[in-house]
PDB file of all heavy atoms in Angstrom:
ATOM      1  N   ASP C  45       3.927  -2.470  -6.328  1.00  0.00           N
ATOM      2  CA  ASP C  45       3.275  -1.960  -5.132  1.00  0.00           C
ATOM      3  C   ASP C  45       1.937  -1.370  -5.572  1.00  0.00           C
ATOM      4  O   ASP C  45       1.896  -0.515  -6.462  1.00  0.00           O
ATOM      5  CB  ASP C  45       4.092  -0.846  -4.467  1.00  0.00           C
ATOM      6  CG  ASP C  45       5.327  -1.343  -3.745  1.00  0.00           C
ATOM      7  OD1 ASP C  45       5.480  -2.566  -3.587  1.00  0.00           O
ATOM      8  OD2 ASP C  45       6.148  -0.498  -3.342  1.00  0.00           O
ATOM      9  N   PHE C  46       0.865  -1.824  -4.962  1.00  0.00           N
ATOM     10  CA  PHE C  46      -0.453  -1.301  -5.257  1.00  0.00           C
ATOM     11  C   PHE C  46      -0.895  -0.426  -4.092  1.00  0.00           C
ATOM     12  O   PHE C  46      -0.982  -0.900  -2.957  1.00  0.00           O
ATOM     13  CB  PHE C  46      -1.456  -2.436  -5.483  1.00  0.00           C
ATOM     14  CG  PHE C  46      -1.155  -3.246  -6.709  1.00  0.00           C
ATOM     15  CD1 PHE C  46      -0.435  -4.430  -6.609  1.00  0.00           C
ATOM     16  CD2 PHE C  46      -1.582  -2.830  -7.957  1.00  0.00           C
ATOM     17  CE1 PHE C  46      -0.158  -5.181  -7.736  1.00  0.00           C
ATOM     18  CE2 PHE C  46      -1.305  -3.571  -9.094  1.00  0.00           C
ATOM     19  CZ  PHE C  46      -0.589  -4.752  -8.983  1.00  0.00           C
ATOM     20  N   VAL C  47      -1.155   0.845  -4.365  1.00  0.00           N
ATOM     21  CA  VAL C  47      -1.582   1.793  -3.337  1.00  0.00           C
ATOM     22  C   VAL C  47      -3.097   1.682  -3.192  1.00  0.00           C
ATOM     23  O   VAL C  47      -3.838   1.765  -4.172  1.00  0.00           O
ATOM     24  CB  VAL C  47      -1.182   3.234  -3.712  1.00  0.00           C
ATOM     25  CG1 VAL C  47      -1.659   4.219  -2.647  1.00  0.00           C
ATOM     26  CG2 VAL C  47       0.334   3.337  -3.904  1.00  0.00           C
ATOM     27  N   VAL C  48      -3.542   1.479  -1.962  1.00  0.00           N
ATOM     28  CA  VAL C  48      -4.962   1.306  -1.665  1.00  0.00           C
ATOM     29  C   VAL C  48      -5.396   2.335  -0.633  1.00  0.00           C
ATOM     30  O   VAL C  48      -4.573   2.922   0.071  1.00  0.00           O
ATOM     31  CB  VAL C  48      -5.252  -0.128  -1.166  1.00  0.00           C
ATOM     32  CG1 VAL C  48      -4.887  -1.160  -2.237  1.00  0.00           C
ATOM     33  CG2 VAL C  48      -4.510  -0.423   0.127  1.00  0.00           C
ATOM     34  N   ASP C  49      -6.695   2.553  -0.537  1.00  0.00           N
ATOM     35  CA  ASP C  49      -7.233   3.509   0.433  1.00  0.00           C
ATOM     36  C   ASP C  49      -7.461   2.902   1.804  1.00  0.00           C
ATOM     37  O   ASP C  49      -7.455   3.614   2.811  1.00  0.00           O
ATOM     38  CB  ASP C  49      -8.559   4.092  -0.074  1.00  0.00           C
ATOM     39  CG  ASP C  49      -8.363   4.960  -1.306  1.00  0.00           C
ATOM     40  OD1 ASP C  49      -7.305   5.601  -1.436  1.00  0.00           O
ATOM     41  OD2 ASP C  49      -9.283   4.987  -2.140  1.00  0.00           O
ATOM     42  N   ASP C  50      -7.705   1.596   1.864  1.00  0.00           N
ATOM     43  CA  ASP C  50      -8.026   0.914   3.113  1.00  0.00           C
ATOM     44  C   ASP C  50      -7.264  -0.407   3.133  1.00  0.00           C
ATOM     45  O   ASP C  50      -7.721  -1.404   2.563  1.00  0.00           O
ATOM     46  CB  ASP C  50      -9.535   0.697   3.192  1.00  0.00           C
ATOM     47  CG  ASP C  50      -9.983  -0.046   4.434  1.00  0.00           C
ATOM     48  OD1 ASP C  50      -9.130  -0.432   5.272  1.00  0.00           O
ATOM     49  OD2 ASP C  50     -11.203  -0.265   4.564  1.00  0.00           O
ATOM     50  N   LEU C  51      -6.103  -0.425   3.768  1.00  0.00           N
ATOM     51  CA  LEU C  51      -5.238  -1.604   3.716  1.00  0.00           C
ATOM     52  C   LEU C  51      -5.879  -2.851   4.324  1.00  0.00           C
ATOM     53  O   LEU C  51      -5.824  -3.916   3.705  1.00  0.00           O
ATOM     54  CB  LEU C  51      -3.878  -1.305   4.353  1.00  0.00           C
ATOM     55  CG  LEU C  51      -2.836  -2.416   4.218  1.00  0.00           C
ATOM     56  CD1 LEU C  51      -2.608  -2.800   2.763  1.00  0.00           C
ATOM     57  CD2 LEU C  51      -1.538  -2.002   4.874  1.00  0.00           C
ATOM     58  N   PRO C  52      -6.497  -2.803   5.491  1.00  0.00           N
ATOM     59  CA  PRO C  52      -7.100  -4.033   6.019  1.00  0.00           C
ATOM     60  C   PRO C  52      -8.121  -4.663   5.065  1.00  0.00           C
ATOM     61  O   PRO C  52      -8.135  -5.881   4.868  1.00  0.00           O
ATOM     62  CB  PRO C  52      -7.741  -3.594   7.334  1.00  0.00           C
ATOM     63  CG  PRO C  52      -6.897  -2.430   7.765  1.00  0.00           C
ATOM     64  CD  PRO C  52      -6.566  -1.704   6.487  1.00  0.00           C
ATOM     65  N   SER C  53      -8.953  -3.853   4.437  1.00  0.00           N
ATOM     66  CA  SER C  53      -9.928  -4.384   3.474  1.00  0.00           C
ATOM     67  C   SER C  53      -9.231  -4.957   2.248  1.00  0.00           C
ATOM     68  O   SER C  53      -9.630  -6.000   1.728  1.00  0.00           O
ATOM     69  CB  SER C  53     -10.905  -3.284   3.034  1.00  0.00           C
ATOM     70  OG  SER C  53     -11.706  -2.885   4.110  1.00  0.00           O
ATOM     71  N   ALA C  54      -8.181  -4.280   1.780  1.00  0.00           N
ATOM     72  CA  ALA C  54      -7.438  -4.757   0.610  1.00  0.00           C
ATOM     73  C   ALA C  54      -6.734  -6.074   0.920  1.00  0.00           C
ATOM     74  O   ALA C  54      -6.655  -6.962   0.061  1.00  0.00           O
ATOM     75  CB  ALA C  54      -6.435  -3.699   0.160  1.00  0.00           C
ATOM     76  N   ILE C  55      -6.223  -6.218   2.134  1.00  0.00           N
ATOM     77  CA  ILE C  55      -5.592  -7.476   2.545  1.00  0.00           C
ATOM     78  C   ILE C  55      -6.611  -8.608   2.494  1.00  0.00           C
ATOM     79  O   ILE C  55      -6.343  -9.681   1.944  1.00  0.00           O
ATOM     80  CB  ILE C  55      -4.968  -7.343   3.958  1.00  0.00           C
ATOM     81  CG1 ILE C  55      -3.731  -6.445   3.908  1.00  0.00           C
ATOM     82  CG2 ILE C  55      -4.646  -8.722   4.537  1.00  0.00           C
ATOM     83  CD1 ILE C  55      -3.186  -6.070   5.278  1.00  0.00           C
ATOM     84  N   ASP C  56      -7.781  -8.384   3.050  1.00  0.00           N
ATOM     85  CA  ASP C  56      -8.835  -9.413   3.035  1.00  0.00           C
ATOM     86  C   ASP C  56      -9.202  -9.800   1.610  1.00  0.00           C
ATOM     87  O   ASP C  56      -9.310 -10.981   1.289  1.00  0.00           O
ATOM     88  CB  ASP C  56     -10.088  -8.920   3.772  1.00  0.00           C
ATOM     89  CG  ASP C  56      -9.893  -8.822   5.277  1.00  0.00           C
ATOM     90  OD1 ASP C  56      -8.935  -9.436   5.804  1.00  0.00           O
ATOM     91  OD2 ASP C  56     -10.701  -8.126   5.917  1.00  0.00           O
ATOM     92  N   ARG C  57      -9.391  -8.794   0.745  1.00  0.00           N
ATOM     93  CA  ARG C  57      -9.773  -9.054  -0.641  1.00  0.00           C
ATOM     94  C   ARG C  57      -8.682  -9.860  -1.368  1.00  0.00           C
ATOM     95  O   ARG C  57      -8.969 -10.828  -2.075  1.00  0.00           O
ATOM     96  CB  ARG C  57     -10.053  -7.730  -1.355  1.00  0.00           C
ATOM     97  CG  ARG C  57     -10.690  -7.861  -2.707  1.00  0.00           C
ATOM     98  CD  ARG C  57     -11.166  -6.524  -3.279  1.00  0.00           C
ATOM     99  NE  ARG C  57     -10.118  -5.522  -3.328  1.00  0.00           N
ATOM    100  CZ  ARG C  57     -10.070  -4.423  -2.561  1.00  0.00           C
ATOM    101  NH1 ARG C  57     -11.021  -4.182  -1.674  1.00  0.00           N
ATOM    102  NH2 ARG C  57      -9.086  -3.562  -2.677  1.00  0.00           N
ATOM    103  N   ALA C  58      -7.418  -9.485  -1.176  1.00  0.00           N
ATOM    104  CA  ALA C  58      -6.307 -10.191  -1.831  1.00  0.00           C
ATOM    105  C   ALA C  58      -6.227 -11.639  -1.356  1.00  0.00           C
ATOM    106  O   ALA C  58      -6.042 -12.559  -2.157  1.00  0.00           O
ATOM    107  CB  ALA C  58      -4.993  -9.458  -1.566  1.00  0.00           C
ATOM    108  N   MET C  59      -6.372 -11.851  -0.061  1.00  0.00           N
ATOM    109  CA  MET C  59      -6.279 -13.210   0.473  1.00  0.00           C
ATOM    110  C   MET C  59      -7.458 -14.070   0.012  1.00  0.00           C
ATOM    111  O   MET C  59      -7.288 -15.253  -0.297  1.00  0.00           O
ATOM    112  CB  MET C  59      -6.138 -13.174   1.988  1.00  0.00           C
ATOM    113  CG  MET C  59      -4.782 -12.588   2.399  1.00  0.00           C
ATOM    114  SD  MET C  59      -4.514 -12.508   4.165  1.00  0.00           S
ATOM    115  CE  MET C  59      -4.452 -14.236   4.570  1.00  0.00           C
ATOM    116  N   GLN C  60      -8.645 -13.495  -0.052  1.00  0.00           N
ATOM    117  CA  GLN C  60      -9.808 -14.241  -0.554  1.00  0.00           C
ATOM    118  C   GLN C  60      -9.621 -14.639  -2.011  1.00  0.00           C
ATOM    119  O   GLN C  60     -10.129 -15.665  -2.451  1.00  0.00           O
ATOM    120  CB  GLN C  60     -11.088 -13.422  -0.380  1.00  0.00           C
ATOM    121  CG  GLN C  60     -11.541 -13.315   1.049  1.00  0.00           C
ATOM    122  CD  GLN C  60     -12.743 -12.400   1.215  1.00  0.00           C
ATOM    123  OE1 GLN C  60     -13.379 -11.999   0.253  1.00  0.00           O
ATOM    124  NE2 GLN C  60     -13.047 -12.065   2.459  1.00  0.00           N
ATOM    125  N   ALA C  61      -8.860 -13.835  -2.763  1.00  0.00           N
ATOM    126  CA  ALA C  61      -8.606 -14.130  -4.179  1.00  0.00           C
ATOM    127  C   ALA C  61      -7.472 -15.131  -4.362  1.00  0.00           C
ATOM    128  O   ALA C  61      -7.244 -15.594  -5.467  1.00  0.00           O
ATOM    129  CB  ALA C  61      -8.303 -12.836  -4.926  1.00  0.00           C
ATOM    130  N   GLY C  62      -6.745 -15.454  -3.283  1.00  0.00           N
ATOM    131  CA  GLY C  62      -5.691 -16.460  -3.383  1.00  0.00           C
ATOM    132  C   GLY C  62      -4.289 -15.979  -3.098  1.00  0.00           C
ATOM    133  O   GLY C  62      -3.328 -16.737  -3.246  1.00  0.00           O
ATOM    134  N   ALA C  63      -4.122 -14.730  -2.686  1.00  0.00           N
ATOM    135  CA  ALA C  63      -2.790 -14.233  -2.339  1.00  0.00           C
ATOM    136  C   ALA C  63      -2.307 -14.885  -1.051  1.00  0.00           C
ATOM    137  O   ALA C  63      -3.111 -15.265  -0.194  1.00  0.00           O
ATOM    138  CB  ALA C  63      -2.812 -12.710  -2.157  1.00  0.00           C
ATOM    139  N   VAL C  64      -1.003 -15.005  -0.931  1.00  0.00           N
ATOM    140  CA  VAL C  64      -0.384 -15.517   0.290  1.00  0.00           C
ATOM    141  C   VAL C  64       0.295 -14.346   0.975  1.00  0.00           C
ATOM    142  O   VAL C  64       1.167 -13.691   0.378  1.00  0.00           O
ATOM    143  CB  VAL C  64       0.657 -16.611  -0.032  1.00  0.00           C
ATOM    144  CG1 VAL C  64       1.379 -17.060   1.226  1.00  0.00           C
ATOM    145  CG2 VAL C  64      -0.010 -17.781  -0.733  1.00  0.00           C
ATOM    146  N   ILE C  65      -0.110 -14.043   2.202  1.00  0.00           N
ATOM    147  CA  ILE C  65       0.534 -12.949   2.926  1.00  0.00           C
ATOM    148  C   ILE C  65       1.869 -13.454   3.462  1.00  0.00           C
ATOM    149  O   ILE C  65       1.954 -14.545   4.013  1.00  0.00           O
ATOM    150  CB  ILE C  65      -0.363 -12.370   4.038  1.00  0.00           C
ATOM    151  CG1 ILE C  65       0.230 -11.060   4.554  1.00  0.00           C
ATOM    152  CG2 ILE C  65      -0.624 -13.377   5.124  1.00  0.00           C
ATOM    153  CD1 ILE C  65      -0.758 -10.185   5.296  1.00  0.00           C
ATOM    154  N   GLU C  66       2.924 -12.660   3.256  1.00  0.00           N
ATOM    155  CA  GLU C  66       4.269 -13.080   3.649  1.00  0.00           C
ATOM    156  C   GLU C  66       4.800 -12.292   4.833  1.00  0.00           C
ATOM    157  O   GLU C  66       5.621 -12.799   5.582  1.00  0.00           O
ATOM    158  CB  GLU C  66       5.212 -12.951   2.458  1.00  0.00           C
ATOM    159  CG  GLU C  66       4.810 -13.890   1.331  1.00  0.00           C
ATOM    160  CD  GLU C  66       5.773 -13.893   0.178  1.00  0.00           C
ATOM    161  OE1 GLU C  66       6.321 -12.829  -0.163  1.00  0.00           O
ATOM    162  OE2 GLU C  66       5.981 -14.979  -0.385  1.00  0.00           O
ATOM    163  N   ASP C  67       4.364 -11.087   4.995  1.00  0.00           N
ATOM    164  CA  ASP C  67       4.699 -10.266   6.160  1.00  0.00           C
ATOM    165  C   ASP C  67       3.439  -9.535   6.581  1.00  0.00           C
ATOM    166  O   ASP C  67       2.781  -8.905   5.748  1.00  0.00           O
ATOM    167  CB  ASP C  67       5.795  -9.241   5.840  1.00  0.00           C
ATOM    168  CG  ASP C  67       7.159  -9.884   5.648  1.00  0.00           C
ATOM    169  OD1 ASP C  67       7.522 -10.737   6.470  1.00  0.00           O
ATOM    170  OD2 ASP C  67       7.848  -9.526   4.682  1.00  0.00           O
ATOM    171  N   ALA C  68       3.111  -9.619   7.838  1.00  0.00           N
ATOM    172  CA  ALA C  68       1.920  -8.953   8.353  1.00  0.00           C
ATOM    173  C   ALA C  68       2.022  -7.447   8.148  1.00  0.00           C
ATOM    174  O   ALA C  68       3.115  -6.887   8.010  1.00  0.00           O
ATOM    175  CB  ALA C  68       1.748  -9.267   9.834  1.00  0.00           C
ATOM    176  N   MET C  69       0.874  -6.814   8.133  1.00  0.00           N
ATOM    177  CA  MET C  69       0.830  -5.369   7.973  1.00  0.00           C
ATOM    178  C   MET C  69       1.681  -4.694   9.047  1.00  0.00           C
ATOM    179  O   MET C  69       1.633  -5.078  10.213  1.00  0.00           O
ATOM    180  CB  MET C  69      -0.622  -4.893   8.098  1.00  0.00           C
ATOM    181  CG  MET C  69      -0.795  -3.400   7.958  1.00  0.00           C
ATOM    182  SD  MET C  69      -2.532  -2.903   8.017  1.00  0.00           S
ATOM    183  CE  MET C  69      -2.985  -3.345   9.687  1.00  0.00           C
ATOM    184  N   ARG C  70       2.470  -3.719   8.623  1.00  0.00           N
ATOM    185  CA  ARG C  70       3.235  -2.919   9.576  1.00  0.00           C
ATOM    186  C   ARG C  70       3.025  -1.451   9.242  1.00  0.00           C
ATOM    187  O   ARG C  70       2.722  -1.093   8.105  1.00  0.00           O
ATOM    188  CB  ARG C  70       4.705  -3.300   9.576  1.00  0.00           C
ATOM    189  CG  ARG C  70       5.498  -2.841   8.404  1.00  0.00           C
ATOM    190  CD  ARG C  70       7.011  -3.149   8.597  1.00  0.00           C
ATOM    191  NE  ARG C  70       7.785  -2.384   7.673  1.00  0.00           N
ATOM    192  CZ  ARG C  70       8.132  -2.778   6.457  1.00  0.00           C
ATOM    193  NH1 ARG C  70       7.758  -3.958   6.016  1.00  0.00           N
ATOM    194  NH2 ARG C  70       8.837  -1.992   5.673  1.00  0.00           N
ATOM    195  N   THR C  71       3.181  -0.623  10.255  1.00  0.00           N
ATOM    196  CA  THR C  71       2.977   0.812  10.100  1.00  0.00           C
ATOM    197  C   THR C  71       4.304   1.537  10.204  1.00  0.00           C
ATOM    198  O   THR C  71       5.109   1.258  11.096  1.00  0.00           O
ATOM    199  CB  THR C  71       2.004   1.330  11.180  1.00  0.00           C
ATOM    200  OG1 THR C  71       0.764   0.608  11.056  1.00  0.00           O
ATOM    201  CG2 THR C  71       1.744   2.808  11.027  1.00  0.00           C
ATOM    202  N   GLU C  72       4.520   2.443   9.269  1.00  0.00           N
ATOM    203  CA  GLU C  72       5.699   3.315   9.237  1.00  0.00           C
ATOM    204  C   GLU C  72       5.200   4.750   9.317  1.00  0.00           C
ATOM    205  O   GLU C  72       3.996   5.000   9.265  1.00  0.00           O
ATOM    206  CB  GLU C  72       6.481   3.100   7.930  1.00  0.00           C
ATOM    207  CG  GLU C  72       6.905   1.668   7.678  1.00  0.00           C
ATOM    208  CD  GLU C  72       8.005   1.203   8.626  1.00  0.00           C
ATOM    209  OE1 GLU C  72       8.703   2.051   9.207  1.00  0.00           O
ATOM    210  OE2 GLU C  72       8.161  -0.019   8.769  1.00  0.00           O
ATOM    211  N   SER C  73       6.111   5.694   9.405  1.00  0.00           N
ATOM    212  CA  SER C  73       5.684   7.094   9.470  1.00  0.00           C
ATOM    213  C   SER C  73       4.956   7.538   8.197  1.00  0.00           C
ATOM    214  O   SER C  73       4.084   8.398   8.237  1.00  0.00           O
ATOM    215  CB  SER C  73       6.889   8.007   9.706  1.00  0.00           C
ATOM    216  OG  SER C  73       7.820   7.884   8.654  1.00  0.00           O
ATOM    217  N   TRP C  74       5.275   6.929   7.070  1.00  0.00           N
ATOM    218  CA  TRP C  74       4.677   7.303   5.781  1.00  0.00           C
ATOM    219  C   TRP C  74       3.388   6.558   5.466  1.00  0.00           C
ATOM    220  O   TRP C  74       2.628   6.941   4.595  1.00  0.00           O
ATOM    221  CB  TRP C  74       5.679   7.081   4.647  1.00  0.00           C
ATOM    222  CG  TRP C  74       6.263   5.706   4.648  1.00  0.00           C
ATOM    223  CD1 TRP C  74       7.424   5.307   5.235  1.00  0.00           C
ATOM    224  CD2 TRP C  74       5.689   4.545   4.070  1.00  0.00           C
ATOM    225  NE1 TRP C  74       7.615   3.961   5.048  1.00  0.00           N
ATOM    226  CE2 TRP C  74       6.566   3.469   4.329  1.00  0.00           C
ATOM    227  CE3 TRP C  74       4.523   4.291   3.346  1.00  0.00           C
ATOM    228  CZ2 TRP C  74       6.301   2.177   3.891  1.00  0.00           C
ATOM    229  CZ3 TRP C  74       4.271   3.001   2.912  1.00  0.00           C
ATOM    230  CH2 TRP C  74       5.175   1.968   3.191  1.00  0.00           C
ATOM    231  N   GLY C  75       3.157   5.401   6.152  1.00  0.00           N
ATOM    232  CA  GLY C  75       1.955   4.636   5.860  1.00  0.00           C
ATOM    233  C   GLY C  75       2.043   3.206   6.351  1.00  0.00           C
ATOM    234  O   GLY C  75       2.890   2.865   7.181  1.00  0.00           O
ATOM    235  N   ARG C  76       1.157   2.374   5.816  1.00  0.00           N
ATOM    236  CA  ARG C  76       1.112   0.961   6.202  1.00  0.00           C
ATOM    237  C   ARG C  76       1.374   0.096   4.966  1.00  0.00           C
ATOM    238  O   ARG C  76       0.989   0.468   3.857  1.00  0.00           O
ATOM    239  CB  ARG C  76      -0.256   0.622   6.795  1.00  0.00           C
ATOM    240  CG  ARG C  76      -0.585   1.492   7.999  1.00  0.00           C
ATOM    241  CD  ARG C  76      -1.816   1.064   8.736  1.00  0.00           C
ATOM    242  NE  ARG C  76      -3.039   1.194   7.951  1.00  0.00           N
ATOM    243  CZ  ARG C  76      -4.242   0.868   8.415  1.00  0.00           C
ATOM    244  NH1 ARG C  76      -4.381   0.383   9.633  1.00  0.00           N
ATOM    245  NH2 ARG C  76      -5.306   1.016   7.670  1.00  0.00           N
ATOM    246  N   ILE C  77       1.993  -1.071   5.199  1.00  0.00           N
ATOM    247  CA  ILE C  77       2.374  -1.945   4.099  1.00  0.00           C
ATOM    248  C   ILE C  77       2.233  -3.401   4.514  1.00  0.00           C
ATOM    249  O   ILE C  77       2.399  -3.740   5.689  1.00  0.00           O
ATOM    250  CB  ILE C  77       3.824  -1.650   3.639  1.00  0.00           C
ATOM    251  CG1 ILE C  77       4.185  -2.434   2.365  1.00  0.00           C
ATOM    252  CG2 ILE C  77       4.818  -1.888   4.762  1.00  0.00           C
ATOM    253  CD1 ILE C  77       5.477  -1.976   1.711  1.00  0.00           C
ATOM    254  N   ALA C  78       1.917  -4.259   3.547  1.00  0.00           N
ATOM    255  CA  ALA C  78       1.894  -5.710   3.739  1.00  0.00           C
ATOM    256  C   ALA C  78       2.462  -6.355   2.482  1.00  0.00           C
ATOM    257  O   ALA C  78       2.234  -5.867   1.370  1.00  0.00           O
ATOM    258  CB  ALA C  78       0.475  -6.209   4.006  1.00  0.00           C
ATOM    259  N   HIS C  79       3.229  -7.442   2.666  1.00  0.00           N
ATOM    260  CA  HIS C  79       3.896  -8.144   1.566  1.00  0.00           C
ATOM    261  C   HIS C  79       3.149  -9.438   1.236  1.00  0.00           C
ATOM    262  O   HIS C  79       2.745 -10.166   2.149  1.00  0.00           O
ATOM    263  CB  HIS C  79       5.336  -8.497   1.946  1.00  0.00           C
ATOM    264  CG  HIS C  79       6.173  -7.304   2.231  1.00  0.00           C
ATOM    265  ND1 HIS C  79       6.300  -6.769   3.484  1.00  0.00           N
ATOM    266  CD2 HIS C  79       6.932  -6.535   1.408  1.00  0.00           C
ATOM    267  CE1 HIS C  79       7.105  -5.728   3.446  1.00  0.00           C
ATOM    268  NE2 HIS C  79       7.497  -5.560   2.185  1.00  0.00           N
ATOM    269  N   PHE C  80       3.053  -9.735  -0.069  1.00  0.00           N
ATOM    270  CA  PHE C  80       2.297 -10.895  -0.553  1.00  0.00           C
ATOM    271  C   PHE C  80       3.028 -11.603  -1.682  1.00  0.00           C
ATOM    272  O   PHE C  80       3.934 -11.053  -2.290  1.00  0.00           O
ATOM    273  CB  PHE C  80       0.950 -10.441  -1.144  1.00  0.00           C
ATOM    274  CG  PHE C  80       0.011  -9.868  -0.152  1.00  0.00           C
ATOM    275  CD1 PHE C  80       0.054  -8.518   0.153  1.00  0.00           C
ATOM    276  CD2 PHE C  80      -0.936 -10.659   0.477  1.00  0.00           C
ATOM    277  CE1 PHE C  80      -0.818  -7.969   1.066  1.00  0.00           C
ATOM    278  CE2 PHE C  80      -1.810 -10.115   1.395  1.00  0.00           C
ATOM    279  CZ  PHE C  80      -1.748  -8.770   1.687  1.00  0.00           C
ATOM    280  N   ALA C  81       2.535 -12.790  -2.003  1.00  0.00           N
ATOM    281  CA  ALA C  81       2.848 -13.478  -3.255  1.00  0.00           C
ATOM    282  C   ALA C  81       1.519 -13.812  -3.916  1.00  0.00           C
ATOM    283  O   ALA C  81       0.554 -14.190  -3.237  1.00  0.00           O
ATOM    284  CB  ALA C  81       3.638 -14.761  -3.004  1.00  0.00           C
ATOM    285  N   ASP C  82       1.466 -13.633  -5.239  1.00  0.00           N
ATOM    286  CA  ASP C  82       0.266 -14.053  -5.960  1.00  0.00           C
ATOM    287  C   ASP C  82       0.311 -15.571  -6.141  1.00  0.00           C
ATOM    288  O   ASP C  82       1.304 -16.209  -5.782  1.00  0.00           O
ATOM    289  CB  ASP C  82       0.113 -13.272  -7.275  1.00  0.00           C
ATOM    290  CG  ASP C  82       1.083 -13.682  -8.373  1.00  0.00           C
ATOM    291  OD1 ASP C  82       1.787 -14.708  -8.250  1.00  0.00           O
ATOM    292  OD2 ASP C  82       1.142 -12.952  -9.387  1.00  0.00           O
ATOM    293  N   PRO C  83      -0.734 -16.183  -6.662  1.00  0.00           N
ATOM    294  CA  PRO C  83      -0.744 -17.643  -6.804  1.00  0.00           C
ATOM    295  C   PRO C  83       0.323 -18.200  -7.745  1.00  0.00           C
ATOM    296  O   PRO C  83       0.507 -19.404  -7.820  1.00  0.00           O
ATOM    297  CB  PRO C  83      -2.151 -17.936  -7.348  1.00  0.00           C
ATOM    298  CG  PRO C  83      -2.984 -16.783  -6.910  1.00  0.00           C
ATOM    299  CD  PRO C  83      -2.049 -15.606  -6.960  1.00  0.00           C
ATOM    300  N   PHE C  84       1.052 -17.326  -8.446  1.00  0.00           N
ATOM    301  CA  PHE C  84       2.072 -17.743  -9.400  1.00  0.00           C
ATOM    302  C   PHE C  84       3.477 -17.457  -8.913  1.00  0.00           C
ATOM    303  O   PHE C  84       4.437 -17.554  -9.657  1.00  0.00           O
ATOM    304  CB  PHE C  84       1.813 -17.070 -10.750  1.00  0.00           C
ATOM    305  CG  PHE C  84       0.468 -17.416 -11.305  1.00  0.00           C
ATOM    306  CD1 PHE C  84      -0.646 -16.670 -10.964  1.00  0.00           C
ATOM    307  CD2 PHE C  84       0.312 -18.508 -12.132  1.00  0.00           C
ATOM    308  CE1 PHE C  84      -1.899 -17.005 -11.450  1.00  0.00           C
ATOM    309  CE2 PHE C  84      -0.943 -18.850 -12.622  1.00  0.00           C
ATOM    310  CZ  PHE C  84      -2.049 -18.102 -12.275  1.00  0.00           C
ATOM    311  N   GLY C  85       3.613 -17.053  -7.644  1.00  0.00           N
ATOM    312  CA  GLY C  85       4.927 -16.824  -7.062  1.00  0.00           C
ATOM    313  C   GLY C  85       5.470 -15.421  -7.212  1.00  0.00           C
ATOM    314  O   GLY C  85       6.586 -15.141  -6.776  1.00  0.00           O
ATOM    315  N   ASN C  86       4.714 -14.517  -7.834  1.00  0.00           N
ATOM    316  CA  ASN C  86       5.175 -13.136  -7.987  1.00  0.00           C
ATOM    317  C   ASN C  86       4.910 -12.344  -6.715  1.00  0.00           C
ATOM    318  O   ASN C  86       3.795 -12.342  -6.202  1.00  0.00           O
ATOM    319  CB  ASN C  86       4.439 -12.454  -9.150  1.00  0.00           C
ATOM    320  CG  ASN C  86       4.644 -13.172 -10.454  1.00  0.00           C
ATOM    321  OD1 ASN C  86       5.772 -13.372 -10.880  1.00  0.00           O
ATOM    322  ND2 ASN C  86       3.556 -13.579 -11.086  1.00  0.00           N
ATOM    323  N   GLY C  87       5.932 -11.670  -6.218  1.00  0.00           N
ATOM    324  CA  GLY C  87       5.758 -10.841  -5.036  1.00  0.00           C
ATOM    325  C   GLY C  87       5.105  -9.519  -5.379  1.00  0.00           C
ATOM    326  O   GLY C  87       5.287  -8.984  -6.475  1.00  0.00           O
ATOM    327  N   PHE C  88       4.326  -9.005  -4.444  1.00  0.00           N
ATOM    328  CA  PHE C  88       3.756  -7.656  -4.586  1.00  0.00           C
ATOM    329  C   PHE C  88       3.434  -7.136  -3.199  1.00  0.00           C
ATOM    330  O   PHE C  88       3.377  -7.888  -2.228  1.00  0.00           O
ATOM    331  CB  PHE C  88       2.510  -7.645  -5.492  1.00  0.00           C
ATOM    332  CG  PHE C  88       1.290  -8.309  -4.921  1.00  0.00           C
ATOM    333  CD1 PHE C  88       0.323  -7.571  -4.253  1.00  0.00           C
ATOM    334  CD2 PHE C  88       1.102  -9.677  -5.065  1.00  0.00           C
ATOM    335  CE1 PHE C  88      -0.813  -8.184  -3.731  1.00  0.00           C
ATOM    336  CE2 PHE C  88      -0.035 -10.307  -4.549  1.00  0.00           C
ATOM    337  CZ  PHE C  88      -0.992  -9.554  -3.884  1.00  0.00           C
TER     338      PHE C  88
END
């Protein structure tokens, strides 16, 4: 899990680098999260 200051910007940057988004950003009481796979199949 990588903690970022601005999730929408981090999502854009990850996707431009080749990440595959697997679950759209969702908001919880503690914060916001989005699920990805890197180009090698590793989830993060």
